[in-house]
Amino acid sequence: MFNKKSFKVALLAGICLLPRLAIAGEDATPQNEVWIGATGQSDSSAKYGRYNASPDKGIYTLGGFNVNESAGWDQPGPYFKAEGDNLSFRSHDLMPNASGSASIGVQGLWGAKVFFDDIEYNQSQTFHTLFNTDGSLVNGLTPGSLSMAGIGYLPAAAPAYPTNSTVNAADTALSALVTSKLNVMSIGTERAAIGAALSYSPFPDWKLSADLKHEHKTGTKENSLTIGGTSLLSTTGGNMLYFPEPVDYDTNRYTVMAAYDRQRVQARLSYTLSTFTDNIASFNPADPFNAAVHAGYANSIYSLPPDNTAQQIKAQLGYNFSPTTRWMADLGYGMQFQNAPFVGSLNAPTSSVPTDLTRTSFNGEVQNINANLTMVTKPIPPLDIKINLGYNSSENQSPSLTFHAPDIDKTTCTSTSNTGCNAIINTLPYSFKTQTVGMEGGYRVTPSLKLTVGDTYKITDRTYSASTGNNENTMSAQLSDQFTSSVNGSVGISHAIRKSGDYNGVTAWTLNGDTGEAGSIEATGLTHFIEAPRIRDELKGRMSVMSGENLSLSFSGKYYNDNYNSTLYGLTGDRVITANPDMTYIFSDSVTGHAFYSFEQAFYNINDTVAVTGLPYFAWQRQTANRVHTIGLNGDWKPTEKLKFGLGYTFQLGNTGWDLSGASTLNPTTNVTSFYNYSNMTLPNDKSTTNRVELTGEYEVINNVSLNLGYAVERFKSNDYLNSQTASDPSYANYTLPGDGSPNYLVQTLGASIHVKW
Amino acid sequence: MTMINKLVSFVCAAVLCMAMAGTAAAAADNTAVKAEPVAVVAANDAPAAPDATDPKDQPSKAKAHHKAHKAKVKKAAVAAAAPATEEKAVEEQETPHVAYAEKGAQSCLKCHNETPVIDILHTPHAKQSDSRTPFAAHACETCHGASPLHMTTKGKDRVSPTVVFKGPKASPVAERNKVCLSCHENGLRMNWAGSQHESNDVACVSCHTVHVNKDPVLVKQTQPGKCFTCHAEQRAQSFQLSHHAIREGKVVCSDCHNPHGSTGPKLLKENTVNETCYTCHAEKRGPFMWEHEPVRESCLTCHTPHGSTQPRLLKERLPFICQDCHNTGSHNSLPFNAGNLPGVTNARAVSPRVMARGCVNCHSEIHGSNSPAGAFFAR
């Protein structure tokens, strides 16, 4: 009897406990999933496959998984999570764009995680070049084998600008030869990142953690350089060639952190070390146009990004002074170092030049300090106040070197009288310091109506700059309201006045030892917009309306206008306007629709002059209008519990137009019509459209096993004039361009996958 | 006799259940930090704030029926929470004598035994053995507040839980956020107070979903869609010709932004714009021997990060963007003579400065050069 009763007790106890476990284990949404499938792509396109690792047509497998295992919610024990995505296998590439992670730990005590992430970037499949990635020439070319004799190449020695020389037989012959030698290759990079994270809570309020991430980036990217000219400092230029820049980077990032958290005080102290290593220091090109002048091509060496490190120690503190007042403070101190050996130009200038560059590396160093102190308080219930003090400095402690800089392709400088060896150059370690004080007050006029006003004053100090600094005062106000239970919105305005310290546009030239810029445009009114006095007005608003339970409408928009009112030449104004209506409608329990439209226009106006030293100027103006329309339509239909469909359509039209005015056909010297044909050409608009239709379907074949189907067609069209520029042409026979050709594409994809959940 | 046996068995089972629950609770109590139960202290809260995304809460009929009773409960809560000292109020925030359900989650699960409610049991919030979690304290009521009236009323008179996070009866934003911040005002949320989202009355649950296996805003593929709900301008920009790999699911908003408040501008994770960019683009970090000042000051001088109609996320096309600041002699890059451009019929005289990358064709080290011959960013 006792045993029987005991059994019953145990059984009842078990039943009592059962719901807790059963609920957790059976009725909840399945946590684990694995899927596998295949997709077919109809065409190849680097632009289509730029980020999705699908530049080529064909059939690919795809797959992924998501596994979560842990003890029940009411039981102690470890957890384990693992997931993988984009596990695609292709004939030539193993899992491009794949990512995955695995985590294990005991919640609240410790945790460990490892992850990997792969990102492909496909820039081009039709890049034209005369170089291999090591700088050697392709297709049997040797230095100087492309003769420029007789061509009217640009820019020519005289007249330097502009040139109206005609295409001649030599140009045509050279271009034909270049074309025959060009190599066509694919350009792109791959980032492969792996990392790990550890966390441990030795005490209840403490948490220690460490993160590390290693990324290896390899591949090529499109780049270009001038080569074979005598100088970039003098009026004569060289040839310009595109080349496949080799990319072989290793980047590491380590962070350790200690955190202390209580309800009243939260603190974090962290240290981060980031290292960047470029395994290829330079690109060493041979000059296919000229072998004689640049024997050895030592100074054609093109430096690639130098190794560098950055580290930062950061302390953060949050303190709830009272239930209604909170203080937050942070202080970050960091250093950046760069001391990679110089590449190229090591033989010049020689010791016979008065000021020599004796060092073999730069020993660059930047000290960064960032500090903020913020108080947020609610002295009375309807009022909240925020006061913030901010300090940020980037003090470049690198040396300011003064030396006779070698020209880019000069191998020897025996005297300052040598062409290209007479320029005294200073390196300018620009530094910046910004101090900010801001105050914002929000007052709830009614429980639903809030008025917020603010004022921020910012001082920026610079060294080696055209302006010693700026100060900017920004006043803002915003009104937000919950008009009714289904309507809310806000409107905000701000007005900012930026003033500039003494502005001297030739500061950089003077510091570089160039004292001949007295009459230059920099001295007569060209102003850098980032430092120029400016008035900015901004208006933005948002409105959201719920009509019944089925319809939701929203609108957001923004307008700002920058007026550089004292700028004579350069950017004198810009403005941006955006408008974004959005609508969601629930047709029924099984059908939902969503539509949105976005309009954005950016407008820029610059005034400038034709600035040929020694010749009279004439003014010209350029206006750029950049307009983008985006439309999106989406719908979901779930006819049964086991079946659902999705339909999506996206359209985007981008249109950039240029309006140029100002012209002169007179020789500025003789005042007669001449080949100085300063006549503006009207640039064609740059228009592009993207259309994408997407159809998806999901059918639950059996419980927790579903079949997914997807079809998408995407079309991109662009008439950008840059796309029509061929790699070589008689009119620019001594240049090679990427020659990527049209990026237009029409790609269809069809895929199917099986998802199993448990 | 049968009835007596059943009754004895039931009592024994209940005692055993309680004992086990007590053991679990005791285990939880042994750890120093406990999840703070929600003390809904209206007096200390900001007035009811409208939710930027959720509909305003509507009066409940049930509330009217039980107004007096509820007022008593709240009054008790307020009184009990009234701190002897501010330190105690902030540090402890002990729940007043409000009646939490004795059976914890079981009381709620009796009715709410369906998805997605019970999906929370698979999430970190429900882990009882972690003393910091809501389920280590009063389970559902840790977040939803002690809700005896909700449990004792029925039908159309049922009173809502003390804190409702979503739907037409949602509590004011400040109340809801206070629940979350009682545990989460640390780490990446340390600067939430006074942040852009906080001051615009964005509720934590406007972005986060708690009762799911995986919060969509924490998943790479679905996070941008959540952010784009409000940030429609950025959504449109992500469709532009040049964009970060956001649509492709390789880059997400939180790679650069901390929506919970930050020490940098525009809710950036790092202190400055450039520090943020260098996280992925360390090759542009330098310092270089030859620095380009606007590059060093802010990448945003030339680039727009969310999308552009121009290549390389540039705000304007090359060479025109350079002309905003530069127009040196012999470098005029207007298409005064752009022979090879469509619609332009000059036989010759194409300017190399309107081809391909414009000025950057030659000044290709525009982000800085470490070559002694790189003064003009050509090496």
Side-chain angles (χ1 to χ4, degrees):
Chain A
M1 183 67 182
F2 175 77
N3 288 339
K4 198 174 180 180
K5 279 186 178 177
S6 298
F7 175 75
K8 284 186 175 180
V9 168
L11 183 62
L12 280 170
I15 292 170
C16 183
L17 288 172
L18 190 59
R20 304 164 75 181
L21 305 176
I23 287 166
E26 295 174 9
D27 298 335
T29 305
Q31 302 182 84
N32 305 310
E33 184 177 9
V34 62
W35 62 96
I36 189 167
T39 185
Q41 182 174 319
S42 66
D43 210 345
S44 300
S45 166
K47 188 160 287 296
Y48 174 78
R50 188 168 28 162
Y51 291 125
N52 62 17
S54 285
D56 302 316
K57 66 178 179 182
I59 295 176
Y60 314 122
T61 61
L62 53 90
F65 64 89
N66 187 359
V67 175
N68 297 274
E69 290 298 334
S70 67
W73 60 278
D74 52 355
Q75 297 169 352
Y79 65 83
F80 173 76
K81 299 176 185 174
E83 60 184 23
D85 198 12
N86 288 326
L87 305 180
S88 171
F89 295 89
R90 304 175 181 210
S91 58
H92 63 288
D93 206 351
L94 181 63
M95 294 198 296
N97 267 25
S99 61
S101 68
S103 309
I104 191 169
V106 175
Q107 186 178 319
L109 185 61
W110 66 274
K113 178 180 181 180
V114 293
F115 70 90
F116 75 94
D117 192 12
D118 195 272
I119 301 179
E120 266 199 14
Y121 173 64
N122 295 289
Q123 189 172 12
S124 173
Q125 290 178 313
T126 54
F127 177 67
H128 291 69
T129 183
L130 297 175
F131 295 105
N132 293 308
T133 54
D134 62 359
S136 61
L137 296 167
V138 299
N139 296 327
L141 282 173
T142 56
S145 58
L146 297 176
S147 171
M148 292 191 294
I151 71 165
Y153 61 89
L154 293 172
Y161 162 86
T163 302
N164 266 355
S165 55
T166 56
V167 173
N168 58 36
D171 293 310
T172 304
L174 178 60
S175 177
L177 183 56
V178 168
T179 301
S180 69
K181 296 295 183 182
L182 283 166
N183 203 21
V184 181
M185 62 185 295
S186 291
I187 294 287
T189 57
E190 180 177 7
R191 290 172 182 257
I194 57 170
L198 293 168
S199 66
Y200 176 59
S201 296
F203 310 107
D205 301 327
W206 287 86
K207 183 178 179 183
L208 308 176
S209 63
D211 295 79
L212 64 94
K213 179 182 178 185
H214 171 76
E215 180 183 289
H216 186 54
K217 183 176 178 180
T218 54
T220 51
K221 61 181 181 181
E222 292 186 1
N223 205 348
S224 55
L225 82 166
T226 53
I227 188 168
T230 55
S231 173
L232 271 185
L233 306 179
S234 57
T235 55
T236 54
N239 315 294
M240 190 274 290
L241 300 175
Y242 267 73
F243 67 94
E245 179 184 322
V247 173
D248 189 357
Y249 304 156
D250 284 304
T251 309
N252 295 300
R253 188 178 174 91
Y254 311 93
T255 301
V256 291
M257 184 173 66
Y260 173 78
D261 296 319
R262 298 281 293 177
Q263 283 236 316
R264 181 154 202 166
V265 61
Q266 305 86 36
R268 292 210 300 178
L269 182 65
S270 64
Y271 171 77
T272 301
L273 170 65
S274 170
T275 65
F276 169 78
T277 305
D278 191 346
N279 298 307
I280 304 173
S282 63
F283 177 74
N284 309 320
D287 185 350
F289 293 109
N290 202 329
V293 176
H294 307 288
Y297 307 100
N299 296 312
S300 291
I301 293 176
Y302 184 91
S303 69
L304 298 181
D307 299 353
N308 64 71
T309 61
Q311 48 192 315
Q312 184 185 60
I313 185 165
K314 188 171 184 177
Q316 287 181 271
L317 181 70
Y319 181 68
N320 290 317
F321 180 77
S322 75
T324 56
T325 302
R326 177 172 172 81
W327 289 84
M328 292 159 286
D330 66 87
L331 174 64
Y333 177 83
M335 293 294 295
Q336 296 174 0
F337 300 102
Q338 188 275 110
N339 200 25
F342 289 142
V343 293
S345 305
L346 298 179
N347 300 324
T350 66
S351 57
S352 61
V353 178
T355 305
D356 202 354
L357 180 64
T358 55
R359 59 175 62 213
T360 57
S361 62
F362 182 49
N363 198 19
E365 190 174 303
V366 175
Q367 173 187 269
N368 297 310
I369 298 175
N370 190 78
N372 290 283
L373 179 64
T374 305
M375 184 193 73
V376 179
T377 184
K378 295 178 180 177
I380 54 175
L383 178 65
D384 53 79
I385 295 172
K386 176 185 176 184
I387 299 172
N388 170 258
L389 299 174
Y391 176 89
N392 181 274
S393 73
S394 174
E395 186 181 341
N396 196 330
Q397 300 173 339
S398 306
S400 178
L401 305 176
T402 301
F403 64 103
H404 288 270
D407 281 348
I408 57 171
D409 285 329
K410 269 292 182 189
T411 54
T412 57
C413 284
T414 56
S415 164
T416 55
S417 62
N418 290 157
T419 301
C421 297
N422 56 358
I424 298 174
I425 290 290
N426 301 299
T427 62
L428 304 178
Y430 299 104
S431 295
F432 314 95
K433 184 171 70 179
T434 303
Q435 299 169 83
T436 309
V437 56
M439 185 170 176
E440 186 180 281
Y443 186 79
R444 294 189 187 276
V445 183
T446 68
S448 66
L449 177 65
K450 183 181 180 183
L451 173 65
T452 306
V453 294
D455 190 277
T456 302
Y457 188 72
K458 180 171 145 184
I459 301 171
T460 304
D461 295 313
R462 300 181 178 90
T463 57
Y464 300 109
S465 298
S467 169
T468 53
N470 299 107
N471 61 69
E472 184 169 26
N473 189 47
T474 305
M475 296 166 286
S476 62
Q478 178 176 292
L479 200 59
S480 57
D481 195 6
Q482 183 92 20
F483 298 99
T484 69
S485 61
S486 57
V487 180
N488 67 70
S490 69
V491 59
I493 58 169
S494 71
H495 178 70
I497 302 172
R498 186 172 76 186
K499 296 177 179 175
S500 176
D502 294 337
Y503 192 93
N504 181 358
V506 296
T507 299
W509 292 114
T510 305
L511 289 168
N512 268 334
D514 185 344
T515 56
E517 299 292 334
S520 69
I521 189 171
E522 282 84 355
T524 55
L526 181 65
T527 310
H528 300 166
F529 71 94
I530 60 170
E531 301 172 63
R534 181 186 72 179
I535 295 175
R536 167 172 284 196
D537 290 292
E538 185 168 356
L539 171 68
K540 59 183 177 183
R542 177 185 59 79
M543 178 69 77
S544 177
V545 178
M546 295 269 299
S547 178
E549 293 185 351
N550 293 341
L551 179 63
S552 168
L553 299 168
S554 71
F555 175 84
S556 64
K558 182 177 78 177
Y559 169 80
Y560 75 77
N561 181 69
D562 290 335
N563 183 6
Y564 303 89
N565 48 359
S566 62
T567 295
L568 188 59
Y569 301 123
L571 185 68
T572 60
D574 61 79
R575 60 176 179 268
V576 170
I577 183 167
T578 61
N580 312 284
D582 192 294
M583 181 182 79
T584 299
Y585 189 76
I586 302 171
F587 293 92
S588 68
D589 288 345
S590 60
V591 181
T592 304
H594 174 227
F596 69 87
Y597 168 72
S598 285
F599 172 73
E600 179 179 3
Q601 175 175 295
F603 178 85
Y604 302 89
N605 183 85
I606 73 166
N607 292 335
D608 222 324
T609 69
V610 169
V612 181
T613 305
L615 299 179
Y617 300 154
F618 73 88
W620 56 268
Q621 189 180 55
R622 173 179 56 78
Q623 296 175 331
T624 303
N626 192 15
R627 298 182 184 88
V628 184
H629 305 263
T630 309
I631 296 171
L633 301 168
N634 303 94
D636 294 312
W637 178 35
K638 194 174 180 182
T640 71
E641 280 301 310
K642 292 180 177 295
L643 181 64
K644 59 183 175 184
F645 296 103
L647 176 65
Y649 171 68
T650 311
F651 168 77
Q652 182 163 81
L653 166 64
N655 190 0
T656 303
W658 295 273
D659 187 6
L660 304 160
S661 59
S664 173
T665 57
L666 301 179
N667 181 322
T669 307
T670 63
N671 243 14
V672 296
T673 304
S674 74
F675 69 88
Y676 285 95
N677 183 14
Y678 295 114
S679 180
N680 270 314
M681 307 292 178
T682 300
L683 277 176
N685 281 14
D686 164 22
K687 187 186 293 186
S688 64
T689 56
T690 307
N691 282 275
R692 180 181 173 86
V693 177
E694 209 172 68
L695 179 63
T696 58
E698 181 181 338
Y699 178 67
E700 190 170 6
V701 184
I702 56 174
N703 194 28
N704 289 331
V705 177
S706 60
L707 173 66
N708 289 27
L709 293 171
Y711 169 77
V713 56
E714 186 169 310
R715 182 181 192 185
F716 175 78
K717 284 188 74 175
S718 169
N719 69 346
D720 194 334
Y721 62 80
L722 294 180
N723 302 329
S724 63
Q725 295 175 344
T726 55
S728 181
D729 185 275
S731 65
Y732 46 88
N734 59 324
Y735 301 147
T736 65
L737 302 182
D740 292 324
S742 170
N744 295 352
Y745 63 80
L746 173 63
V747 174
Q748 300 177 72
T749 55
L750 179 64
S753 61
I754 292 177
H755 293 239
V756 179
K757 301 175 183 177
W758 70 96
Chain B
M1 185 61 189
T2 306
M3 181 64 75
I4 291 172
N5 278 343
K6 281 184 178 176
L7 189 61
V8 169
S9 300
F10 181 78
V11 170
C12 291
V15 168
L16 186 57
C17 287
M18 289 170 67
M20 292 178 73
T23 305
D29 286 340
N30 285 337
T31 49
V33 176
K34 285 190 65 171
E36 298 291 345
V38 176
V40 182
V41 185
N44 284 339
D45 276 344
D51 185 342
T53 55
D54 289 354
K56 191 181 181 184
D57 55 332
Q58 296 172 342
S60 162
K61 290 179 182 177
K63 278 184 184 172
H65 282 282
H66 298 273
K67 194 176 177 183
H69 189 185
K70 191 173 180 182
K72 277 184 184 177
V73 173
K74 280 214 169 186
K75 192 175 177 183
V78 172
T85 63
E86 287 185 339
E87 166 73 25
K88 187 175 179 184
V90 175
E91 188 75 37
E92 299 176 357
Q93 289 196 351
E94 286 296 339
T95 305
H97 301 293
V98 179
Y100 288 99
E102 289 181 5
K103 294 183 180 177
Q106 293 306 308
S107 303
C108 307
L109 294 171
K110 278 192 297 187
C111 297
H112 298 286
N113 183 9
E114 76 282 329
T115 56
V117 176
I118 57 172
D119 284 340
I120 197 171
L121 299 177
H122 291 302
T123 70
H125 278 125
K127 196 67 180 174
Q128 274 191 335
S129 57
D130 181 356
S131 60
R132 306 167 305 166
T133 66
F135 273 58
H138 298 282
C140 311
E141 289 178 301
T142 308
C143 297
H144 288 281
S147 306
L149 295 179
H150 176 70
M151 296 185 188
T152 54
T153 53
K154 290 182 179 177
K156 63 179 182 179
D157 292 336
R158 184 181 290 283
V159 175
S160 296
T162 305
V163 181
V164 180
F165 287 91
K166 290 193 174 180
K169 295 179 181 177
S171 303
V173 172
E175 269 188 31
R176 284 180 277 164
N177 286 357
K178 185 170 183 174
V179 172
C180 305
L181 291 170
S182 64
C183 291
H184 291 292
E185 200 176 29
N186 58 358
L188 295 175
R189 281 81 50 193
M190 200 179 285
N191 291 296
W192 170 257
S195 68
Q196 289 93 320
H197 282 143
E198 193 265 357
S199 61
N200 278 290
D201 288 330
V202 176
C204 305
V205 293
S206 296
C207 306
H208 291 285
T209 308
V210 173
H211 288 263
V212 289
N213 288 336
K214 279 197 169 184
D215 184 353
V217 82
L218 302 180
V219 176
K220 263 191 170 184
Q221 285 77 7
T222 48
Q223 184 194 86
K226 199 63 162 175
C227 302
F228 291 158
T229 305
C230 294
H231 299 280
E233 181 184 337
Q234 283 70 29
R235 174 180 58 195
Q237 289 171 337
S238 75
F239 283 105
Q240 292 187 2
L241 178 65
S242 177
H243 61 271
H244 275 113
I246 297 171
R247 280 194 286 130
E248 291 79 2
K250 303 305 289 186
V251 177
V252 291
C253 311
S254 61
D255 284 340
C256 301
H257 296 282
N258 177 2
H260 305 104
S262 81
T263 59
K266 298 286 182 186
L267 293 177
L268 288 174
K269 286 169 75 174
E270 306 295 336
N271 296 322
T272 64
V273 169
N274 283 25
E275 263 187 54
T276 306
C277 301
Y278 296 152
T279 306
C280 293
H281 303 285
E283 75 276 12
K284 298 185 171 61
R285 185 166 54 198
F288 295 98
M289 184 178 184
W290 304 105
E291 295 277 14
H292 191 191
E293 182 189 1
V295 173
R296 194 52 50 202
E297 187 159 341
S298 174
C299 305
L300 300 184
T301 305
C302 300
H303 297 282
T304 177
H306 299 111
S308 170
T309 56
Q310 302 304 323
R312 298 170 195 85
L313 292 168
L314 286 170
K315 290 160 75 173
E316 290 183 86
R317 163 156 300 190
L318 292 161
F320 307 126
I321 192 169
C322 305
Q323 288 180 324
D324 289 346
C325 292
H326 300 289
N327 184 10
T328 56
S330 81
H331 268 59
N332 195 304
S333 47
L334 269 178
F336 289 120
N337 40 16
N340 74 326
L341 300 181
V344 180
T345 55
N346 273 15
R348 172 66 190 217
V350 58
S351 169
R353 294 154 193 142
V354 294
M355 295 192 299
R357 297 188 297 167
C359 309
V360 179
N361 284 334
C362 300
H363 302 281
S364 50
E365 295 276 35
I366 201 62
H367 295 105
S369 170
N370 202 46
S371 167
F376 293 86
F377 309 119
R379 280 292 181 272

